Every structure is written in structure tokens, then in C-alpha cells.
Amino acid sequence: MSIDRRGFLKLAGTTATAAVAGTAVTAEARPPKVMPEEAVGLLFDGTLCVGCRACMPACKQANDMPPELTPLKVGPTGETNAVWDAPLDISGHTLNVIRAYRSGEGTKKDQVEDGFAFSKKSCLHCVDPSCVSACPVSAMTKDPRTGIVGYSVEACIGCRYCVAACPFGVPRFTFDTPTPKISKCQLCKHRFADGHYAACAEVCPTGATLFGKVKDLKAEIARRRSLAPGTSTTFPRGRIDGPDSYVGTVGKYVERTYGEKEIGGTQVMHLSGVPFELLDKPELPSVSPASTSESIQHGIYYGLLAPMGFLGVLVAAARRTMLERGVEPPETPPPPKSSSSGGTP
Ligand code: SF4
Ligand code: SF4
Ligand code: SF4
């Protein structure tokens, strides 16, 4: 191979440009994943929630989770006085919590000043979930038909990448058990075969938590928004296509539906009478971080091909220079001899 200095610089420049271009082209965000036609989810309407918290023990019972005790006093022999199962947040043993906003006198429902409002925290079943994207062994999966984001304890290796990846802080790890695992809401999919559905929705007395197909829930959101605040109407209760209902009045909603656009949309959507930033809901972009990060990762791996070609050019040029100067370049080392005396039988 003969190449002069000018030619070498030209080739090196072209190769480097190809490397950068290869990475840049493939680092464009991949197309966002779309909501499955038959996707199911929840609608939480904070204006209908009365704060009874029936959905919290129902969730525990449905998922066979123990109560959590908040210690008040520990006695000399370790005996404890504690608050019975009133968790402040989701945890390895709590998949669903109802929280409250309160300001001033705290007497006016769904108002910012001197008001109070309820919100629900549980997995949102993202359309393009970061937890699924981050999991290296596909222990987190998204069902292609229902869109439910599920978890397999058998596949999980306990790396907790999903914990770090979820922008809503949902997956939790049961550090306090001998066989730790990830905990998150799986939309009670284990109950579907028996004709049941999300326990939190099934037990909710007002339909504040409502289960159903996402397209039907979205139509119900549009119906509620089309009615004047204070209008008396019948709300579906339990599941949107079920027989149960609740008569109440339409709330004065803030314009935004939380979950409609956040990180590409979610299958659990929230309506509220107070701004979501007061309810500790994170501000997020409308693009899924999963689509961007996967594209960058794949772009880096793909882009390594071009730098490897560039490295080959450098090695060839170095060998040529050594030969020109009368220096023998090193040969490729021979394969190591086997230390074992035994062969294949
Ligand atoms: S059961 Fe319904 S009304 Fe009661 S706290 Fe839960 S969501 Fe609110
Ligand atoms: S909210 Fe978090 S845990 Fe739930 S699907 Fe989205 S990324 Fe995964
Ligand atoms: S769908 Fe099931 S697991 Fe999820 S919050 Fe409701 S009751 Fe809990």
C-alpha cells in the first residue's frame, strides 16, 4: 500500500467524517411507539375522588402485599406502636397511594387557595416505557395487545436499571426481603381471567378511578370536558363498559390531561381541578426518552464500525512508514500454545 502525506490526510478526514455521519444519522430518534388499538388503562378523575382510600387496601389485597407499619414508638424489648398501613409513598409493598394537596384553610375542594385536592400515584403504563427500554433481560415487557407493562420475577437479574430509568419513580425494589424483586402495578392483569379487573377501580365508590380501553376513557374525558362545570351527570363506575354508575357533578378541570402527552403518552390518565405541578406530577417532555436513548446507543455501536476502519488505515500507514525507514514491523503474534496436555478424546 502506497500513500503520500496528502493522500493519508484526505483518507483520514473522509473516514472520520463517515464515522461522525454514521453516528449522527443513526442517532436520530427512532419513531415513537404507538398505543395499541386495544390498549387498556385507568382514568383517575381527582374531582370525583373523595379521599376514602379504599383503593389502597384493595390494591394490596389483590396483589397479596403486606401492610406497612409506620413506627411511632419502640419499646425496650423491641415492641412497636405504629400507624397501620398508611404509607406516604409507593414502595416495594405498596403499588398505589392516594395523596392530597392542601393550602390555607384547606376547605374548598379542588381549589388552589384555601383548598384541597387528591391525586393518585401508581404506574402509568407508558406507551413507550423507559423501564422496558432499560431492562437488559426483558424482565419488563409491554404487552403488544393491551399495552400493559408487566414484570417477570423469573427473568429479572436485580440490576434495577428500570428503577433508574422510570421518569415517574415507579418501580421499587424489595430490599427488605430475602429474595428481593421489583414491585410495580401491572394493572391487575392476573385478575382478568376470573372476570375481574383493576381492583382500585373495582372498589372505588365514585368512579374516580375508572378502568377500560384507553380509547373509551379518552372519549369519556372529552365528554366530561364538553359539559359545563357543575352540570349533573352520570359517571361510569368500576369499568367504563360495565353496568355500574355514579351520579355527580362535573368538575372544573385544568386544561391539561396528565398522561395525554407526557413522554409520548401513557395509558393511565389524570384529570384534576388544580394544576398538576401542585400534585407532585413531574414536568416531562412529549418525546419518549426511550426512543432517544435507544437511538443513541444503537448509533454508538453502529458508529464504531467507521472508527474501526479509520484505525485500520492508521495501522497500515504506520507499517508502511516503518518499512520505508528499514524497520521490520512486528508480526501478528502466533496463537498461544495450549497448556493442557490432554486433547479431545
Ligand atoms: S377509592 Fe376512589 S374515591 Fe376512594 S380514594 Fe381511591 S380513588 Fe378516591
Ligand atoms: S411509569 Fe415507569 S414503571 Fe410504569 S411503564 Fe412508565 S416507565 Fe415503566
Ligand atoms: S391496577 Fe391493580 S395493581 Fe395497579 S394500582 Fe390498581 S389495584 Fe393496584
Side-chain angles (χ1 to χ4, degrees), residues 27 40 42 62 116 122 130 133 136 139 151 154 200 212 238 248 287 298 306 337:
V40 292
L42 298 173
F116 66 101
S122 59
S130 300
S133 172
Y151 165 72
E154 289 79 23
C200 54
V287 176
H298 298 169
K337 288 200 177 86

Side-chain angles (χ1 to χ4, degrees), residues 124-156:
L124 285 95
H125 295 273
C126 306
V127 173
D128 198 347
S130 300
C131 59
V132 172
S133 172
C135 181
V137 291
S138 298
M140 286 282 182
T141 50
K142 185 161 179 73
D143 185 274
R145 191 177 64 83
T146 63
I148 293 174
V149 177
Y151 165 72
S152 163
V153 68
E154 289 79 23
C156 179

Side-chain angles (χ1 to χ4, degrees), residues 219-297:
E220 175 65 8
I221 291 171
R223 184 188 77 87
R224 291 180 194 184
R225 286 194 181 283
S226 72
L227 298 169
T231 307
S232 179
T233 188
T234 301
F235 295 98
R237 199 195 71 74
R239 57 183 304 156
I240 196 163
D241 55 354
D244 297 334
S245 60
Y246 170 79
V247 177
T249 53
V250 176
K252 188 174 180 198
Y253 301 117
V254 294
E255 210 172 301
R256 177 175 171 200
T257 300
Y258 196 85
E260 186 182 30
K261 295 203 176 113
E262 283 70 20
I263 61 162
T266 65
Q267 293 177 208
V268 174
M269 295 158 292
H270 296 245
L271 288 173
S272 171
V274 301
F276 288 104
E277 51 269 30
L278 300 178
L279 301 175
D280 207 20
K281 297 281 181 220
E283 258 326 300
L284 294 166
S286 58
V287 176
S288 153
S291 67
T292 315
S293 61
E294 271 179 32
S295 302
I296 289 172
Q297 285 164 23

Side-chain angles (χ1 to χ4, degrees), residues 3 7 25 45 73 119 129 135 174 177 180 187 224 260 266 313:
I3 185 169
V25 166
D45 185 337
K73 203 165 73 177
S119 68
C135 181
T174 55
T177 61
L187 219 57
R224 291 180 194 184
E260 186 182 30
T266 65
V313 171

